[in-house]
């Protein structure tokens, strides 16, 4: 059960890794969209956790790229700019969940469990 | 100029003075003219009667002269004895003293004994031509009066009269006749009146006679009326032809020969009436009165006339008209002066107002109108203008405040968005690590307690950042057709229990006929709730919060219809120094942790997005009122709808 996290913020990556690993999930991550696009393999990834606002290419771009490549993976989008517009945009790209930053470990796990039943 | 108040006022005053003056002039002159005419006619009749008296006096004078002659010593015997030389002397003396044109003595049979001119053979027939003598012989008594003679007889009596009978105009009947005043008295042999021995006669030919007509004006008492006696014209007419007059033409000749108009002839000669008519001649208008003259047989043979110039009477009327015209002129001048004075009085403050209006339209709202006018209407206008300028000043300040507020809002929004986003990432770390630590069983209670403080504080930070982002986001409205009263009712319900607990009365006064509005239900609800919560915080038990809805025009944009929601409380009020900071983000007077200072700021943004305005009035210890005005015509919302993708 590998969960892949994409975020430009180290502290977020580290936080997520700590929480998810403590719950027994495998965690891999990338610090940028370009890096993620090179690494992501849908075969062994059950969930993507993607930040929306990132330098160069953003999370939405990543989702669209994956869709283009035929890599359909359940996704939770997260953002510190949690306005209704961002949430609506996230839903539109086909993300399963939107997670507003900052979140507590419980909130993260709840979202993850809703996707991976 | 024509449309100026001054012109119109003066015109009105002029019209009034002209109307009053003109009408009184018209009526007055007419009345005066009537009474003057009446007076003139009365005078004219009086003069005519006097003239007739003078005429009759002349007849009487002839009569008296004849009688005196008959009483002369030896006269009777001279007649009886036919002493022709003595009789000729007596006749000449008589004619000379009495200024007779003709005189003579005939026998009781009518045979001429003596006369002014020498006797001739023709005198034998003269008895036929002398109706006077005939009458005297026939009646055996004195006969006197106006008599018509044949001209032939008259010339025979006194050849010198022939030239006075010449050039008589008009179609004289044949044989030619003439008019005279004369008398004849019979002479008896003795005093008891028996045995008629002769008749003495004498008279004055009226044709071109001057003695009567000239004597009349002089003898009149009304010289004081007829100041110039020459203007009194006396005429004697034989039939309808003037035969004697006191009027002279420019060559000094008497102007007889004229004929009277036919209507005068009809009235006087044929009907025998006294008649007064108004006639125009070269000297002006005259009032002419006619009186018929009857001969000794009672037949109307001529007329006496007297003409009084109307100018004397008219001059009075002219004087009246002149004085009244002067009075009208004076009132006209007065009207103009008064008009100028009045308009100056009225227009001076108006001109000041005009000047002030110009300055106001140029943007200068500070203008002194000078002293308030004593005229009530003008004073009202001045006060209203002053109030208008004052309210314009207030609104200008308000709109300036609003502009500043919007700018603040926009820049703080951008800042908040950036900061919020940046803070959220580290906050995720803080939250995660704190909670991870709290999950550990091997920590002591005091560490756990400290960690809880960190977690709670971080929660607070999270809320603040969330508020910041709410404030900053330029979210699109989700408009729908709403009943404002219904929305207010449902919003009030949300805080009613809190108010009840605190002991604050919440009143809702829904306005009637409030139209349905297109608004974002959730956002307007949050605005109302926000202000209501603030009101609740500002009140103490026993206070009242009143919510009222009305339709009203915009305070900024005159004529723009909308709905106003007023939320008024009787709470502590807002200090005036805080009033202009009220809508600033992060401005709060609440204790730390109770408010973020974003509520009113966000409310302001929402109302603004709806195209509305939000204002506050507050008085310390009396309470505060929030006025939320939302426009009815919300084109900007429709525009947003179109921009919304996918909708």
């Amino acid at each position: 059960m590998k969960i892949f996290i994409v975020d430009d913020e180290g502290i977020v990556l580290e936080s997520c890794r700590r929480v998810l690993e403590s719950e027994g999930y495998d965690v891999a991550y990338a610090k940028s969209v370009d890096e993620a696009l090179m690494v992501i393999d849908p075969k062994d990834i059950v969930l993507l956790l993607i930040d929306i606002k990132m330098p160069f290419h953003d999370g939405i771009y990543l989702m669209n790229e994956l869709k283009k490549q035929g890599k359909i993976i359940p996704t939770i989008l997260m953002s510190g700019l949690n306005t209704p517009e961002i949430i609506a945009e996230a839903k539109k790209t086909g993300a399963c969940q939107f997670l507003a930053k900052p979140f507590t470990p419980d909130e993260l796990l709840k979202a993850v469990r809703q996707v991976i039943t | 100029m024509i449309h100026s108040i001054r012109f119109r006022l003066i015109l009105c005053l002029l019209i009034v003075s002209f109307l009053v003056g003109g009408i009184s002039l018209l009526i007055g002159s007419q009345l005066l003219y009537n009474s003057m005419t009446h007076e003139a006619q009365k005078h004219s009749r009086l003069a005519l009667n006097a003239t007739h008296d003078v005429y009759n006096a002349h007849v009487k004078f002839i009569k008296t002269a004849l009688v005196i002659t008959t009483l002369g010593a030896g006269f009777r015997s001279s007649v009886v004895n036919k002493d022709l030389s003595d009789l000729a002397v007596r006749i000449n003396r008589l004619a000379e003293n009495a200024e007779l044109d003709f005189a003579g003595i005939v026998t009781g049979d009518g045979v001429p004994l003596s006369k002014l001119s020498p006797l001739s053979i023709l005198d034998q027939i003269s008895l036929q031509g002398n109706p006077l003598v005939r009458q005297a012989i026939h009646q055996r008594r004195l006969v006197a009066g106006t008599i018509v003679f044949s001209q032939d007889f008259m010339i025979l009596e006194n050849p010198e009269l022939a030239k006075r009978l010449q050039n008589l105009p008009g179609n004289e009947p044949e044989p030619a006749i003439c008019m005279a005043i004369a008398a004849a008295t019979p002479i008896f042999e003795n005093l008891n009146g028996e045995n008629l021995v002769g008749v003495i006669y004498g008279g004055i030919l009226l044709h071109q006679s001057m003695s009567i007509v000239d004597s009349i004006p002089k003898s009149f008492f009304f010289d004081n009326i007829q100041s110039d006696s020459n203007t009194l014209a006396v005429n004697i007419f034989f039939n309808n032809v003037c035969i004697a007059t006191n009027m002279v033409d420019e060559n000094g000749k008497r102007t007889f020969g004229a004929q009277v108009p036919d209507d005068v002839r009809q009235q006087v000669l044929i009907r025998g009436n006294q008649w007064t008519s108004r006639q125009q001649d070269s000297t002006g208008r005259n009032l002419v009165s006619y009186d018929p003259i009857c001969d000794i047989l009672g037949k109307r043979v001529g007329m006496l006339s007297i003409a009084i110039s109307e100018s004397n009477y008219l001059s009075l009327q002219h004087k009246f008209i002149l004085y009244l015209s002067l009075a009208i002129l004076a009132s006209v001048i007065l009207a103009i002066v008064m008009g100028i004075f009045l308009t100056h009085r009225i227009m001076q403050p108006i001109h000041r107002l005009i000047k002030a209006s110009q300055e106001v339209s140029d943007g200068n709202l500070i203008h002194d109108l000078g002293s308030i006018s004593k005229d009530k209407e003008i004073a009202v206008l001045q006060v209203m203008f002053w109030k208008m300028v004052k309210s314009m000043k207030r609104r200008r300040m308000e709109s300036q405040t609003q502009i500043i507020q919007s700018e603040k809002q926009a820049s703080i929004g951008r800042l908040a968005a950036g900061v919020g986003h940046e803070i959220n990432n580290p906050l995720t770390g803080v939250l995660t690590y704190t909670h991870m630590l709290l999950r550990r069983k091997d920590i002591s209670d005091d560490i756990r307690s400290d960690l809880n403080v960190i977690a709670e504080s971080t929660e607070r930070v999270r809320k603040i950042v969330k508020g910041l982002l709410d404030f900053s986001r330029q979210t699109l409205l989700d408009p729908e057709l709403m009943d404002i009263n219904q929305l207010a009712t449902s919003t009030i319900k949300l805080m009613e229990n809190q108010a009840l607990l605190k002991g604050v009365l919440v009143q809702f006064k829904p306005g009637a006929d409030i139209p349905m509005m297109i608004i974002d239900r959730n956002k307007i609800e949050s605005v109302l709730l926000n202000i209501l919560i603030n009101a609740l915080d500002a009140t103490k038990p026993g206070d009242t919060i009143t919510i009222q809805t009305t339709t009203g025009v915009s305070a900024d944009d005159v004529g723009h219809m909308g709905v106003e929601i007023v939320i008024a409380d009787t709470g502590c009020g807002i200090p005036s120094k805080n009033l202009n900071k009220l809508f600033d983000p992060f401005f709060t007077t609440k204790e730390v942790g109770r408010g973020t200072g974003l509520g009113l700021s966000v409310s302001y943004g929402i109302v603004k997005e709806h195209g509305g305005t939000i204002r506050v009035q507050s008085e310390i210890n009396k309470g505060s009122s929030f006025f939320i005005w939302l426009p009815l015509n919300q084109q900007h919302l429709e525009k947003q709808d179109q921009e919304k993708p996918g909708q």
Side-chain angles (χ1 to χ4, degrees):
Chain A
M1 296 278 265
K2 198 181 204 174
I3 297 173
F4 197 93
I5 311 166
V6 188
D7 199 316
D8 58 322
E9 276 281 343
I11 183 74
V12 180
L13 288 174
E14 195 54 32
S15 298
C16 291
R17 193 184 63 78
R18 287 281 290 273
V19 175
L20 292 173
E21 279 182 353
S22 71
E23 290 299 316
Y25 295 107
D26 278 343
V27 176
Y29 55 81
K31 285 191 109 174
S32 71
V33 171
D34 296 328
E35 193 189 329
L37 277 172
M38 286 193 294
V39 184
I40 289 171
D41 180 5
K43 281 174 195 159
D44 54 10
I45 295 173
V46 290
L47 179 68
L48 278 172
L49 202 59
I50 308 170
D51 183 32
I52 295 175
K53 296 284 175 199
M54 282 182 286
F56 309 117
H57 295 121
D58 64 6
I60 309 293
Y61 173 83
L62 176 60
M63 296 245 338
N64 290 334
E65 279 301 302
L66 290 173
K67 219 183 277 175
K68 273 187 210 162
Q69 294 172 14
K71 298 172 178 172
I72 307 298
I73 307 160
T75 312
I76 294 173
L77 281 175
M78 52 184 181
S79 176
L81 208 62
N82 36 31
T83 63
E85 293 82 52
I86 299 279
I87 297 165
E89 205 181 345
K91 290 270 167 65
K92 236 164 36 185
T93 54
C96 306
Q97 287 282 326
F98 177 83
L99 195 59
K101 288 185 198 172
F103 43 79
T104 59
D106 291 341
E107 285 166 353
L108 174 62
L109 289 172
K110 192 181 156 198
V112 168
R113 282 180 188 131
Q114 272 175 355
V115 180
I116 316 164
T117 41
Chain B
M1 180 61 197
I2 289 171
H3 295 292
S4 74
I5 289 178
R6 173 170 295 175
F7 181 81
R8 286 182 186 180
L9 195 74
I10 293 173
L11 192 70
C12 284
L13 289 171
L14 281 184
I15 288 172
V16 168
S17 47
F18 271 126
L19 267 180
V20 171
I23 288 171
S24 40
L25 186 67
L26 212 69
I27 293 172
S29 60
Q30 195 60 46
L31 281 175
L32 197 68
Y33 180 76
N34 286 346
S35 81
M36 281 292 149
T37 310
H38 184 74
E39 196 74 357
Q41 282 185 355
K42 220 167 85 188
H43 280 133
S44 174
R45 293 268 163 101
L46 269 173
L48 187 64
N49 290 340
T51 305
H52 218 128
D53 285 348
V54 172
Y55 180 86
N56 291 337
H58 274 82
V59 173
K60 210 171 173 181
F61 175 68
I62 296 168
K63 200 166 76 183
T64 311
L66 288 182
V67 170
I68 289 168
T69 305
T70 61
L71 297 175
F75 177 74
R76 207 166 296 162
S77 60
S78 291
V79 173
V80 173
N81 299 329
K82 295 190 169 68
D83 183 350
L84 296 181
S85 61
D86 180 55
L87 288 177
V89 171
R90 286 176 195 269
I91 289 293
N92 276 324
R93 209 165 52 210
L94 165 69
E96 197 180 317
N97 287 329
E99 293 177 3
L100 298 179
D101 287 329
F102 60 92
I105 301 169
V106 294
T107 65
D109 304 325
V111 179
L113 283 176
S114 176
K115 58 177 177 129
L116 276 179
S117 60
L119 289 169
S120 74
I121 193 72
L122 288 168
D123 288 327
Q124 296 306 316
I125 53 148
S126 69
L127 192 60
Q128 293 299 311
N130 194 341
L132 180 71
V133 171
R134 225 166 46 220
Q135 196 80 10
I137 292 171
H138 179 67
Q139 292 184 2
R140 297 172 70 88
R141 65 176 179 85
L142 192 146
V143 176
T146 309
I147 303 156
V148 175
F149 294 105
S150 77
Q151 288 189 17
D152 292 343
F153 166 79
M154 196 53 74
I155 293 164
L156 209 58
E157 283 291 313
N158 185 353
E160 282 175 22
L161 297 175
K163 64 172 182 288
R164 278 167 63 184
L165 291 167
Q166 281 168 3
N167 306 324
L168 275 181
N171 25 3
E172 289 284 318
E174 289 299 330
I177 50 175
C178 57
M179 192 165 81
I181 50 169
T185 181
I187 309 159
F188 299 101
E189 197 178 358
N190 45 29
L191 283 171
N192 54 18
E194 288 168 16
N195 199 7
L196 179 78
V197 290
V199 173
I200 182 167
Y201 66 91
I204 298 168
L205 178 65
L206 290 172
H207 292 253
Q208 301 192 27
S209 153
M210 294 179 201
S211 57
I212 299 175
V213 290
D214 285 349
S215 68
I216 288 169
K218 287 172 198 151
S219 63
F220 280 169
F221 56 90
F222 55 64
D223 270 6
N224 55 340
I225 300 172
Q226 206 74 15
S227 52
D228 180 6
S229 62
N230 286 336
T231 60
L232 181 76
V234 181
N235 297 312
I236 299 170
F237 293 86
F238 177 38
N239 280 326
N240 62 337
V241 180
C242 178
I243 53 168
T245 179
N246 65 336
M247 289 282 109
V248 289
D249 65 11
E250 57 268 25
N251 300 323
K253 282 189 175 171
R254 301 273 167 161
T255 55
F256 44 75
Q259 293 189 17
V260 292
D262 201 47
D263 61 322
V264 177
R265 200 176 70 87
Q266 283 281 336
Q267 286 289 343
V268 183
L269 278 177
I270 294 170
R271 295 191 192 156
N273 296 329
Q274 255 196 9
W275 182 252
T276 302
S277 74
R278 198 165 279 132
Q279 282 170 18
Q280 184 80 33
D281 71 3
S282 57
T283 60
R285 280 161 76 93
N286 292 312
L287 204 59
V288 190
S289 296
Y290 296 90
D291 205 16
I293 300 171
C294 296
D295 70 359
I296 51 170
L297 302 170
K299 192 179 156 203
R300 286 185 288 275
V301 290
M303 293 180 284
L304 261 177
S305 91
I306 185 158
I308 299 175
S309 169
E310 275 193 347
S311 60
N312 290 298
Y313 302 98
L314 287 175
S315 72
L316 246 167
Q317 195 189 4
H318 290 156
K319 254 184 211 168
F320 169 77
I321 291 172
L322 179 73
Y323 287 141
L324 205 57
S325 301
L326 282 175
I328 293 170
L329 188 71
S331 74
V332 163
I333 292 167
L334 192 70
I336 293 172
V337 170
M338 264 177 70
I340 290 169
F341 173 73
L342 274 176
T343 45
H344 180 73
R345 239 191 97 112
I346 295 169
M347 290 311 288
Q348 201 185 20
I350 290 181
H351 280 308
R352 279 211 304 265
L353 275 175
I354 291 170
K355 196 167 163 259
S357 308
Q358 268 169 354
E359 290 208 14
V360 167
S361 72
D362 290 345
N364 178 17
L365 292 184
I366 303 155
H367 188 78
D368 184 20
L369 282 176
S371 59
I372 295 291
S373 171
K374 287 191 189 88
D375 299 318
K376 201 180 159 199
E377 292 82 357
I378 300 288
V380 169
L381 191 64
Q382 285 175 321
V383 169
M384 292 312 284
F385 183 85
W386 180 70
K387 279 187 180 167
M388 185 187 81
V389 172
K390 217 173 124 182
S391 87
M392 277 171 80
K393 259 188 231 171
R394 200 190 66 230
R395 282 189 195 145
R396 180 190 271 186
M397 273 176 68
E398 274 179 10
S399 64
Q400 276 172 348
T401 317
Q402 294 227 340
I403 290 165
I404 294 166
Q405 195 70 36
S406 313
E407 280 168 3
K408 268 188 211 167
Q409 201 91 9
S411 56
I412 289 172
R414 283 192 296 276
L415 182 71
V419 171
H421 180 224
E422 288 308 311
I423 287 174
N424 275 339
N425 284 326
L427 267 189
T428 308
V430 176
L431 267 177
T432 308
Y433 282 87
T434 313
H435 281 277
M436 291 299 281
L437 279 173
L438 277 169
R439 282 183 186 186
R440 284 170 63 160
K441 306 279 190 288
D442 58 341
I443 50 170
S444 61
D445 284 349
D446 55 338
I447 293 174
R448 186 173 297 279
S449 153
D450 288 355
L451 284 172
N452 272 326
V453 173
I454 294 173
E456 277 164 23
S457 300
T458 316
E459 278 299 326
R460 246 185 76 194
V461 174
R462 180 158 89 153
K463 273 186 190 156
I464 291 167
V465 174
K466 188 172 182 306
L468 254 181
L469 284 169
D470 280 345
F471 165 75
S472 73
R473 73 185 182 212
Q474 297 297 310
T475 54
L476 295 174
L477 295 174
D478 184 15
E480 58 183 305
L481 203 61
M482 269 304 296
D483 179 355
I484 290 282
N485 283 338
Q486 201 188 322
L487 179 68
T489 311
S490 64
T491 312
I492 291 162
K493 266 195 189 124
L494 295 176
M495 52 76 73
E496 228 166 19
N497 283 336
Q498 274 174 276
L500 202 66
L501 283 172
K502 197 174 174 182
V504 173
L505 178 68
V506 180
Q507 286 180 321
F508 179 44
K509 293 179 182 167
D513 301 326
I514 302 286
M516 297 286 276
M517 309 270 296
I518 301 167
I519 50 168
D520 186 314
R521 185 205 162 101
N522 290 330
K523 287 191 173 175
I524 295 297
E525 192 181 66
S526 76
V527 170
L528 295 184
L529 194 62
N530 204 300
I531 295 169
L532 281 171
I533 299 279
N534 283 346
L536 197 60
D537 286 343
T539 47
K540 52 190 186 300
D543 278 336
T544 313
I545 300 171
T546 311
I547 302 101
Q548 209 172 342
T549 54
T550 49
T551 47
V553 291
S554 162
D556 296 331
D557 185 5
V558 179
H560 199 166
M561 281 302 294
V563 171
E564 193 163 62
I565 308 160
V566 185
I567 298 169
D569 65 63
T570 57
C572 58
I574 304 160
S576 56
K577 67 178 166 63
N578 289 345
L579 271 175
N580 52 357
K581 289 189 274 181
L582 215 56
F583 298 105
D584 286 359
F586 308 113
F587 175 78
T588 182
T589 55
K590 292 177 183 175
E591 56 195 86
V592 174
R594 287 284 314 266
T596 56
L598 287 170
L600 278 180
S601 188
V602 170
S603 299
Y604 178 90
I606 292 171
V607 173
K608 199 169 153 271
E609 273 180 285
H610 279 82
T613 54
I614 182 163
R615 309 182 279 127
V616 197
Q617 281 177 1
S618 185
E619 214 175 317
I620 288 292
N621 296 329
K622 290 265 177 74
S624 311
S625 297
F626 282 78
F627 301 86
I628 303 157
W629 182 84
L630 297 170
L632 263 179
N633 182 12
Q634 289 158 309
Q635 286 168 338
H636 58 285
L637 290 185
E638 287 159 28
K639 219 182 284 170
Q640 275 199 357
D641 278 353
Q642 286 161 11
E643 284 166 5
K644 247 185 187 177
Q647 278 194 12

